Amino acid sequence: MIGFSRNLSTVSKLSHLQNLQTRGSPNFIPFPQLQHQRKLLEWRLMSILHDCTLFSQIKQVHAHIIRNGLSQCSYVLTKLIRMLTKVDVPMGSYPLLVFGQVNYPNPFLWTAMIRGYALQGLLSESTNFYTRMRRDGVGPVSFTFSALFKACGAALNMDLGKQVHAQTILIGGFASDLYVGNSMIDLYVKCGFLGCARKVFDEMSERDVVSWTELIVAYAKYGDMESASGLFDDLPLKDMVAWTAMVTGYAQNGRPKEALEYFQKMQDVGMETDEVTLAGVISACAQLGAVKHANWIRDIAERSGFGPSGNVVVGSALIDMYSKCGSPDEAYKVFEVMKERNVFSYSSMILGYAMHGRAHSALQLFHDMLKTEIRPNKVTFIGILSACSHAGLVEQGRQLFAKMEKFFGVAPSPDHYACMVDLLGRAGCLEEALDLVKTMPMEPNGGVWGALLGACRIHGNPDIAQIAANELFKLEPNGIGNYILLSNIYASAGRWEEVSKLRKVIREKGFKKNPGCSWFEGKNGEIHDFFAGDTTHPRSSEIRQALKQLIERLRSHGYKPNLGSAPYDLTDDEKERILMSHSEKLALAYGLLCTEAGDTIKIMKNIRICEDCHNVMCAASEITGREIIVRDNMRFHHFHNGTCSCGNFW
Ligand SMILES: [Zn+2]
Ligand SMILES: [Zn+2]
């Protein structure tokens, strides 16, 4: 319908054009007036072309161009070619014929051809046109180069890009051209040559916010947040896009605290917020798991008109955030107020329930979803399979896995296999898990072998562990965690010789163990970090004292340190000392110190919680009467009255 009505308006404009031409006396028109009329005609044709949406309309206008003696007018024809490119007419057909009829095409018309070929992915035709243009003695304009740089960037053709760069220097006069400079930065960034991009940037005599932001985003993408923030600080006029680049950059590089700081600053200077900024800061908050910040961000989203009831993207992100902040109920409240829900909203909620061990709620929601028009996708199945896995629902998991392709058309990816291996492995069906891996139609990835290795840790199976670990060493030669895990499994089985062999490898490879880190959100939203063996907290000695007292109380109730969780060939005393310095225990002690009786204590942890810490949390929840929530890298543990939501199955 839109096409039709536009068509009508184009036709009416054209007839208006005819009226314009036939009006007045055809016999004698003074030259200036004639020139004026021609300009007016060109201008009108350009504006009509601009509104064309169909090839047939453009052809109609082209007929008028010819009839009015403008078939040599590069100015109008440039617009014509650009519109032909826009409606995807192949450059080698109609556009090439149009171009071929022009005796002296100007640089813009040449550029329209170069650009058209480039946009259609025909890089060599595009550069051929550039060569022909140069051979004809026509000088390029800045648009010529920006078109070529874009084409080289899209094809990741750095060699050609460098040659085009050399051309700009050879021909000269483009050094101070903002447009050329920006497209050059874009090329080098796309090809991954950040150093070259920076050089271009540094040499530009004039820059705009596009030049700055492009480079900031690139640094963030490559994880160099120091350079990104350095540039950002120097940026004279910071707009929302630049601010968002910083927030999102920190979030994507696993530095949520800084992401939140930038978002806070953004609020302080009164900068606007949009969906993209919110998505970035929400993901940062999800990583940090900080409830106080979560509520603050939700308020800002509501105030800026991106609240969950009307915005499905923000809503789905908020669901994920609240789940990861340990509040699945709050997540469900967001889910409930959403007027529009899509597969992401459902999947986030299902994943959220899975994470918190609420497998039955996850399954219920999955079945509710099937009653709607929404079809499950890959992520939904990750959620539902991991829900089954975390709750030990082996049979249900098997059935869903068998159905996913047959009934829902979702082919299992390596990630789904990883979920199944995890499900079978946790349930102790290690042989079946290994068989499943062997029958995979694709190469198993690190996630699959990692799940198997993890299951071998729970069930103490050093033989299958070795198979999985050997594959992992090939796939992730620098993954220190795999070496440690295997070494721990050997240690638990008392195979000390293999342990010392592995430790030698670890030393030779020069790995540094990713330090266990936990953090605790204080009452005012401040975040307290604790590293294993950490003594840097200002209240460190108080914390150690509190921990000691707590452990003594637990001991009198029958707690014994689980020395297998410190699988080093050390004396028992040393093992106990190491266990006592685990970061989540320090965070727990601090939590007990600075919260009121009855308050829930929430702790976030970057790696898996060990068995001993799990025991301590269980016992502490009983003795102190506190609810303790620990998020490790896999899931949430809700400790309440001496038991954990995971059923000691993690
Ligand atoms: Zn521990
Ligand atoms: Zn647990």
Side-chain angles (χ1 to χ4, degrees), residues 609 614 618 630 632 635-639 643-650:
I609 183 170
H614 200 274
C618 268
V630 177
D632 67 6
R635 58 157 67 239
F636 274 92
H637 302 265
H638 293 254
F639 299 95
T643 56
C644 179
S645 60
C646 75
N648 295 341
F649 195 91
W650 79 100

Side-chain angles (χ1 to χ4, degrees), residues 17 73 178 212 226 297 394 414 474 627 632 636:
L17 200 69
C73 174
L178 182 65
W212 291 86
E226 274 54 50
I297 291 165
V394 181
K474 279 184 238 159
E627 175 141 7
D632 67 6
F636 274 92

Side-chain angles (χ1 to χ4, degrees), residues 254-436:
R255 291 168 67 172
K257 262 183 161 180
E258 281 121 315
L260 282 163
E261 274 164 29
Y262 270 87
F263 186 69
Q264 172 78 65
K265 279 188 217 159
M266 216 176 149
Q267 300 302 309
D268 295 346
V269 298
M271 187 56 61
E272 266 183 89
T273 311
D274 72 355
E275 245 181 31
V276 186
T277 333
L278 284 168
V281 74
I282 291 173
S283 107
C285 188
Q287 289 173 44
L288 206 58
V291 181
K292 200 112 192 169
H293 291 101
N295 293 332
W296 171 63
I297 291 165
R298 186 186 170 163
D299 285 348
I300 292 172
E302 302 267 11
R303 264 187 280 133
S304 3
F306 296 100
S309 65
N311 192 304
V312 68
V313 176
V314 172
S316 306
L318 286 173
I319 292 175
D320 176 62
M321 174 184 79
Y322 275 117
S323 303
K324 289 185 178 153
C325 289
S327 312
D329 295 324
E330 206 55 45
Y332 190 70
K333 276 187 202 157
V334 172
F335 181 82
E336 271 187 314
V337 301
M338 288 172 72
K339 289 201 186 85
E340 184 199 342
R341 295 174 193 139
N342 60 18
V343 66
F344 299 105
S345 336
Y346 274 97
S347 302
S348 296
M349 198 60 234
I350 291 173
L351 274 170
Y353 278 140
M355 219 184 286
H356 289 276
R358 298 195 189 173
H360 295 287
S361 304
L363 282 164
Q364 181 60 50
L365 196 64
F366 179 69
H367 289 119
D368 289 351
M369 176 182 145
L370 294 184
K371 285 179 204 145
T372 69
E373 304 268 277
I374 302 164
R375 295 296 91 196
N377 67 7
K378 284 177 183 292
V379 183
T380 327
F381 277 103
I382 301 267
I384 202 75
L385 289 175
S386 56
C388 291
S389 171
H390 287 176
L393 300 171
V394 181
E395 202 36 54
Q396 247 150 322
R398 275 200 194 107
Q399 279 173 17
L400 280 164
F401 185 71
K403 270 194 205 164
M404 59 185 279
E405 186 162 16
K406 230 185 192 167
F407 288 94
F408 301 105
V410 181
S413 71
D415 290 339
H416 297 106
Y417 277 95
C419 285
M420 275 313 283
V421 168
D422 194 63
L423 170 80
L424 295 169
R426 280 171 195 283
C429 315
L430 291 172
E431 300 286 343
E432 190 185 340
L434 182 60
D435 287 343
L436 181 70

Side-chain angles (χ1 to χ4, degrees), residues 49 92 195 219 226 390 394 400 442 449 460 487 526 542 583 622:
L49 272 173
Y219 278 128
E226 274 54 50
H390 287 176
V394 181
L400 280 164
M442 70 289 272
W449 292 117
S487 139
E526 73 281 9
E542 253 181 288
S583 61
E622 188 174 10

